[in-house]
Amino acid sequence: LLMAARFWARPSPNSTLHVSVNPEWRYSSSYDWDWAPELGSVSAETMKSYLGPHAAALQVYVGNYRDAQRSVVVVNSYNIVRDASRWIVLNEQSRETVVQDRQVRINQLTLQSPSESRLVWLWYVIGDQVTSSPLELKILETKYRMLGRPQPAAVVAVSVSYQSDTTQAQATLEKFLSGTSFSRLSVAHDGQ
């Protein structure tokens, strides 16, 4: 009975995905929006920067879709970076990592600007499901709507600069995610 009640519970469409980090990562006011995806239809987006062990600097982008009826915009070639005149995508591949104690598949992007190399891990969250597949995202979105239980969705991207190869950057991202949690927080209804 408890599982049935949980299964049929309707989450508030007015909720945002919130990031909680391990205290060893200190908030930094220095960040760059240019590498993040350009998602014109998000209800809210945030960018935060953290300094971690060994002075590792890491940035977290979250694009929230508060209106559960709105279709999620999939990140693809036309909106993969905010400033396409500065950043080019050198490589895009799928990889597995751990997010909130679950093995998940995410997208790994290698970006290059005239002055910087950046590794980005990107995924989607819809309800309590995590996916890197645009097709799976659309299937989940459609399923929840057909069940009459539209779910809030978000795009998450974490990014770190690197020098010559991505090995240390991958280790930094893994360390950050091992102590990071993502949870939904209700947002006051603004009458829209």
Side-chain angles (χ1 to χ4, degrees):
L1 185 61
L2 179 59
M3 283 302 275
R6 194 170 180 204
F7 179 77
W8 289 107
R10 293 180 66 121
S12 165
N14 291 324
S15 67
T16 59
L17 196 65
H18 176 72
V19 181
S20 299
V21 302
N22 185 308
E24 73 179 345
W25 292 86
R26 296 179 325 277
Y27 177 76
S28 168
S29 59
S30 174
Y31 53 84
D32 175 11
W33 281 90
D34 289 350
W35 65 266
E38 178 62 61
L39 305 172
S41 66
V42 291
S43 300
E45 54 185 0
T46 59
M47 176 73 75
K48 292 190 177 176
S49 184
Y50 298 95
L51 294 175
H54 312 294
L58 185 138
Q59 295 180 13
V60 181
Y61 167 86
V62 178
N64 280 287
Y65 296 84
R66 286 191 193 137
D67 180 353
Q69 297 298 330
R70 183 178 295 155
S71 181
V72 177
V73 173
V74 172
V75 176
N76 56 38
S77 59
Y78 74 88
N79 63 351
I80 205 161
V81 293
R82 200 164 292 246
D83 186 352
S85 66
R86 180 175 168 212
W87 291 99
I88 60 168
V89 179
L90 297 178
N91 187 19
E92 181 176 357
Q93 64 190 44
S94 183
R95 70 167 285 140
E96 297 231 342
T97 193
V98 176
V99 177
Q100 293 193 161
D101 300 324
R102 289 190 301 184
Q103 191 78 19
V104 296
R105 185 159 291 283
I106 53 98
N107 292 320
Q108 177 175 284
L109 308 166
T110 307
L111 307 181
Q112 183 67 53
S113 78
S115 60
E116 184 181 6
S117 300
R118 188 168 280 282
L119 189 67
V120 179
W121 285 1
L122 184 141
W123 65 91
Y124 307 95
V125 179
I126 184 162
D128 64 352
Q129 302 289 313
V130 173
T131 182
S132 64
S133 163
L135 178 59
E136 183 180 6
L137 174 71
K138 292 299 182 183
I139 290 169
L140 287 168
E141 186 180 31
T142 302
K143 179 184 98 170
Y144 287 131
R145 283 184 184 167
M146 289 177 68
L147 291 171
R149 297 181 295 118
Q151 300 288 307
V155 176
V156 178
V158 292
S159 173
V160 65
S161 292
Y162 67 93
Q163 295 299 318
S164 56
D165 82 54
T166 61
T167 306
Q168 183 59 45
Q170 290 171 344
T172 299
L173 292 170
E174 286 172 350
K175 177 144 182 69
F176 177 78
L177 289 175
S178 71
T180 300
S181 65
F182 300 88
S183 58
R184 292 229 167 255
L185 296 178
S186 292
V187 175
H189 184 63
D190 59 6
Q192 292 181 350

